Amino acid sequence: MKKIDKRERAWWIIPLIACITSVLTFTVGAKDRLAQPQLNQLGIYHSKDGQLVGL
């Protein structure tokens, strides 16, 4: 069996750490926006005479 050195391990360790870090950063930064959107982030529209009217 071939012995794997640290440089060969880095080819899958570094991208794995980068993906995990980016997912964690997204979830920490977006948890409030995904759980409870604010009113200014919503668009409430209804159709009136063939046109959209709303906030």
Side-chain angles (χ1 to χ4, degrees):
M1 185 179 247
K2 182 180 169 185
K3 187 176 181 181
I4 300 175
D5 66 349
K6 291 180 182 178
R7 288 175 290 178
E8 292 174 353
R9 289 182 184 160
W11 280 105
W12 62 270
I13 291 174
I14 293 172
L16 182 66
I17 291 172
C19 289
I20 291 172
T21 304
S22 63
V23 167
L24 288 174
T25 302
F26 175 77
T27 55
V28 168
K31 69 178 178 182
D32 292 334
R33 292 183 184 184
L34 293 175
Q36 298 174 352
Q38 303 295 321
L39 183 60
N40 61 358
Q41 295 173 339
L42 294 174
I44 303 170
Y45 300 99
H46 64 279
S47 177
K48 184 176 183 181
D49 298 328
Q51 294 182 354
L52 290 177
V53 179
L55 302 173

